[in-house]
Amino acid sequence: MHPRTRLDAATKDYDPPFAIVDLDAFDSNAADLVRRAGGLPIRVASKSVRVRALLERVLAKPGFAGVMCYSPAEALWLSDVDLSEDLLVAYPTVDRSALRRLAEDDKARGRITIVVDSIAHLDFVQHTLGAGHPEIRVCLELDVSWRPVPGLHIGPRRSPVHTAREARALAEAITRRPGFRLVGVMAYEGHIAGLGDQPPGKPLRGAALRWMQRHSAVELVERRTAAVAAVREVADLEFVNGGGTGSLEVTGADPSVTELAAGSGLIGPTLFDGYRGFRPAPAVLFALPVVRRPKKHVATLFSGGYIASGTATADRQPSPHLPVGLNLLSVEGAGEVQTPVVGRAADPLRLGDRVWLRHAKAGELAERFTHYLAVRGDEVERTMPTYRGEGLSFG
């Protein structure tokens, strides 16, 4: 059955706008991530999913272990619902309320690890919780940006800890500080994992990215190995986390890494179409109804302005997926209450027909819908509440 026919048949009793997760595509993507990980466990990046049932689904599969959370409040909730006993909050927090809840919850404190990259983070936690606070598990974040020449920084602006000497100095400060236990190191190479090495229609940019990523990866293995060794001299580490969907093979080849991270590869958003080595299937889509036919080759859809975070560029807009052959109007884009699509494929569309679109990023669509329809074949198997559908929003 043609994909559009199948999806239309499965959702015929539902009025758009709505979002679906194709369970067969989701499971296939999960299996491919495990294959690419080469035997290392994958920690699931929850920000790229934001649906409890899907997190439960993937964590039940061999090859996945633990969750990489994006908020301490989220980690506390996932602990409360017993989603996982291994929850890493991968971004430093200044959420005093969440820190106090963590200190008061014995079960959560044994499951949740927070990231720090400076003594100032330790000071903030200690000032919030007071002297003599219960032991908090912490993970040191190492900056793995590439700095080939002085003044040039290639990669996300994350931790200030760049060298093995700096990593050891912070590790020593953590181990000397009562109330903290250093259990992990995290080193996310966003300039490798998060940048497609074959951007569509940009061969020169692709060649430059591949050159940069290849040389950065060589430098990173040496520096990360030295940093992890330096930290292990002062702390008994439980894990060293690295990578992302776009760099599983590269990061997995680093002998200092004990686990990988991935999330977007489960969903298959448009920003992950530009990689040579893999192509996740589009597992999450949303449908908008045709509400106007203003002229030939144009259909206007209701709603749809679900713009992804990051650079304010065209690649952050949603993309028409089915029927094939539709595009957004460059002068209007995806709008708050209407989204025109253009192309000859618009001509057969009638009022009420569905146009299927993909979001640019993996998890952010879940902030727009309260539920995903879980589709298998040509049937809706169940509905799955998103975080927002469970009445939760973690920023």
Side-chain angles (χ1 to χ4, degrees), residues 297-301 317-330 332-334 339-346 355-357:
H297 303 338
V298 179
T300 303
L301 316 178
Q317 293 197 82
S319 297
H321 182 58
L322 297 170
V324 174
L326 295 175
N327 294 288
L328 300 182
L329 274 171
S330 60
E332 192 162 346
T339 297
V341 290
V342 298
R344 293 185 181 277
V355 171
W356 295 87
L357 300 96

Side-chain angles (χ1 to χ4, degrees), residues 163-234:
T163 67
R165 178 177 294 182
E166 291 168 340
R168 178 177 177 128
L170 181 55
E172 290 174 341
I174 295 170
T175 57
R176 286 196 302 265
R177 185 78 65 103
F180 297 94
R181 179 156 65 98
L182 179 57
V183 299
V185 169
M186 185 179 77
Y188 171 58
E189 53 270 56
H191 57 299
I192 300 175
L195 291 177
D197 60 359
Q198 188 168 279
K202 299 178 180 179
L204 294 180
R205 174 175 168 80
L209 283 171
R210 291 191 292 275
W211 183 90
M212 177 273 291
Q213 292 172 345
R214 184 170 61 254
H215 286 79
S216 175
V218 171
E219 183 272 340
L220 176 55
V221 169
E222 181 178 350
R223 179 160 53 85
R224 180 162 46 196
T225 298
V228 169
V231 173
R232 286 192 183 278
E233 290 176 357
V234 298

Side-chain angles (χ1 to χ4, degrees), residues 42-167:
I42 301 172
R43 186 181 292 272
V44 183
S46 64
K47 76 176 181 63
S48 299
V49 181
R50 306 190 206 202
V51 178
R52 192 201 327 185
L54 292 178
L55 291 172
E56 291 171 343
R57 186 181 190 91
V58 70
L59 286 171
K61 298 179 182 295
F64 294 88
V67 179
M68 177 176 281
C69 305
Y70 61 98
S71 155
E74 177 203 19
L76 286 161
W77 175 63
L78 293 178
S79 176
D80 286 343
V81 300
D82 292 321
L83 183 96
S84 173
E85 296 183 356
D86 184 0
L87 302 162
L88 170 63
V89 182
Y91 305 88
T93 182
V94 290
D95 185 338
R96 291 172 296 180
S97 175
L99 287 170
R100 293 186 185 112
R101 287 172 54 202
L102 178 61
E104 294 166 359
D105 188 331
D106 292 343
K107 180 177 77 171
R109 276 202 323 281
R111 295 175 168 183
I112 295 174
T113 303
I114 65 171
V115 158
V116 301
D117 63 31
S118 68
I119 294 174
H121 285 138
L122 305 178
D123 292 341
F124 186 91
V125 173
Q126 196 160 41
H127 179 74
T128 299
L129 301 182
H133 64 77
E135 185 175 79
I136 304 296
R137 293 167 52 89
V138 298
C139 171
L140 183 158
E141 181 168 4
L142 178 70
D143 170 61
V144 290
S145 62
W146 190 36
R147 304 179 186 179
V149 295
L152 179 59
H153 179 112
I154 298 175
R157 300 286 178 169
R158 294 178 67 105
S159 170
V161 181
H162 189 74
T163 67
R165 178 177 294 182
E166 291 168 340

Side-chain angles (χ1 to χ4, degrees), residues 290-333:
V290 175
V291 292
R292 300 183 197 266
R293 288 302 318 273
K295 61 181 295 186
K296 188 177 182 180
H297 303 338
V298 179
T300 303
L301 316 178
F302 174 70
S303 186
Y306 312 145
I307 309 301
S309 61
T311 56
T313 48
D315 61 358
R316 304 293 157 151
Q317 293 197 82
S319 297
H321 182 58
L322 297 170
V324 174
L326 295 175
N327 294 288
L328 300 182
L329 274 171
S330 60
V331 295
E332 192 162 346

